[in-house]
Amino acid sequence: MWKQRLIETNRGVFELFEKGEGEPLAVTHHYSAYNEKGNSFANPFTEHYHVYLINLRGAGNSAQAVDESEYSMDNTVLDLEAIREALGHEMWGIAGHSTGGMLALKYAINSPDSLTKIIAGGAAASYEYGADPDSIYCSKNPNFNRIVEIMNLLEDPTTPIEKRREVGYEWALMSYYSEEKLQESMKKPNSGKTVGPRLDYFRKVEYPTYDIREELRSVNLPSFIYTGKYDAQCPMKFGIEIAELIPNASLTIFEESNHNPFSEEEEKFEEFVVYTL
């Protein structure tokens, strides 16, 4: 199990869970809430890093937002910086998957001197992934209308827990190479409940203008980018684009994965983690 901590910072109190030994590594997702079970993306890193799995503003027992603009990536980077300082780390690494990966990229742009490295995957450098027919978030994709319905259900606080689980599974299945791999992943300890207000802000406010492609050209940090060959959320081409934009980036392609290679190709993902050291 992961150890819970509540950290006092100059931007409020934040909840995090820590596990592992080694160099410090922050792990988070832009709109997920974690608990003592940890997270399937974060877990492999605990074998080699001291991992801080962070509940961002509005998630879990972390500080609440007074204004929805506090959910923005820019403000979130400021929160992460406050957490880093409160923990006493001069620098740390940042790892994120999906919109957590996008947040990691934004962190590298805004506060590069605080980072030793970035690890990001299942991500994109601009809003264009949502206009690609291979993405389930594109209106031309056959799953798009259902995804919107699922998001609305997850954002609605009155949606019963049973329904949340049902539609959450349906959403996850669209992002796995096989249902067998999804079911295997569900047998293992995991957390990452969707935080509706944060998702809502990203989807309706931040996503339409999200484009950090030019800024990534000036990122000089060691950058470990990965993508699943069959990623149905952020298609592989967008992971390749990130790696091509960042001068010091390496790219790892998981040949038998959709959006979750850490669950779909566990052994190869563990090799990838070792590669980031």
Side-chain angles (χ1 to χ4, degrees):
M1 299 293 280
W2 292 64
K3 178 184 175 183
Q4 180 204 38
R5 289 180 65 183
L6 294 173
I7 305 298
E8 292 265 4
T9 80
N10 58 15
R11 293 176 62 85
V13 175
F14 288 88
E15 180 182 40
L16 58 81
F17 300 87
E18 61 182 320
K19 187 177 181 181
E21 296 181 0
E23 61 178 287
L25 182 71
V27 177
T28 193
H29 185 280
H30 198 38
Y31 47 80
S32 291
Y34 305 108
N35 60 36
E36 291 87 350
K37 292 181 180 179
N39 174 259
S40 55
F41 169 68
N43 288 337
F45 292 97
T46 64
E47 295 296 319
H48 305 280
Y49 291 91
H50 185 151
V51 179
Y52 297 98
L53 183 59
I54 299 168
N55 276 338
L56 300 176
R57 189 175 298 276
N61 294 308
S62 289
Q64 297 299 305
V66 176
D67 184 89
E68 68 170 9
S69 64
E70 294 177 67
Y71 295 138
S72 72
M73 287 192 182
D74 286 332
N75 273 310
T76 299
V77 169
L78 293 177
D79 287 342
L80 289 169
E81 279 289 83
I83 295 168
R84 176 188 61 78
E85 292 171 3
L87 290 169
H89 293 301
E90 183 177 348
M91 303 174 75
W92 61 1
I94 178 76
H97 178 69
S98 198
T99 53
M102 298 178 200
L103 179 60
L105 298 175
K106 190 71 170 179
Y107 199 160
I109 292 167
N110 290 11
S111 300
D113 293 340
S114 299
L115 297 175
T116 56
K117 67 185 70 173
I118 57 173
I119 303 167
S126 78
Y127 58 84
E128 288 191 359
Y129 76 92
D132 190 292
D134 289 335
S135 171
I136 56 178
Y137 301 125
C138 175
S139 59
K140 297 177 182 178
N141 187 282
N143 288 317
F144 174 75
N145 289 335
R146 182 54 181 160
I147 283 293
V148 173
E149 292 173 358
I150 289 171
M151 284 185 173
N152 288 335
L153 284 167
L154 291 173
E155 288 168 20
D156 185 350
T158 65
T159 301
I161 185 65
E162 295 81 6
K163 189 64 176 179
R164 286 179 176 276
R165 288 173 180 159
E166 177 187 329
V167 299
Y169 182 86
E170 185 180 348
W171 188 1
L173 185 57
M174 295 178 194
S175 302
Y176 267 78
Y177 188 61
S178 72
E179 187 166 11
E180 179 185 2
K181 287 293 185 181
L182 172 57
Q183 290 180 348
E184 285 179 14
S185 72
M186 293 177 67
K187 296 174 184 176
K188 299 176 181 179
N190 186 37
S191 65
K193 177 184 175 183
T194 299
V195 180
R198 291 193 67 96
L199 169 59
D200 202 39
Y201 183 85
F202 174 75
R203 182 160 68 107
K204 297 177 181 177
V205 180
E206 197 147 36
Y207 163 77
T209 58
Y210 171 71
D211 190 342
I212 56 174
R213 288 174 288 190
E214 285 305 310
E215 292 97 322
L216 287 180
R217 297 182 191 278
S218 62
V219 171
N220 292 310
L221 291 163
S223 303
F224 302 91
I225 309 303
Y226 67 89
T227 181
K229 185 175 181 179
Y230 303 99
D231 196 325
Q233 293 195 29
C234 290
M236 179 175 67
K237 67 180 75 172
F238 296 100
I240 294 173
E241 180 182 48
I242 292 170
E244 290 178 344
L245 288 168
I246 301 175
N248 291 328
S250 66
L251 175 66
T252 300
I253 296 174
F254 290 90
E255 299 285 342
E256 297 181 7
S257 288
N258 188 320
H259 189 60
N260 303 284
F262 43 88
S263 294
E264 300 176 89
E265 296 182 69
E266 290 185 64
E267 290 185 7
K268 290 184 178 179
F269 194 83
E270 288 169 6
E271 293 173 3
F272 168 73
V273 171
V274 171
Y275 176 62
T276 68
L277 296 171

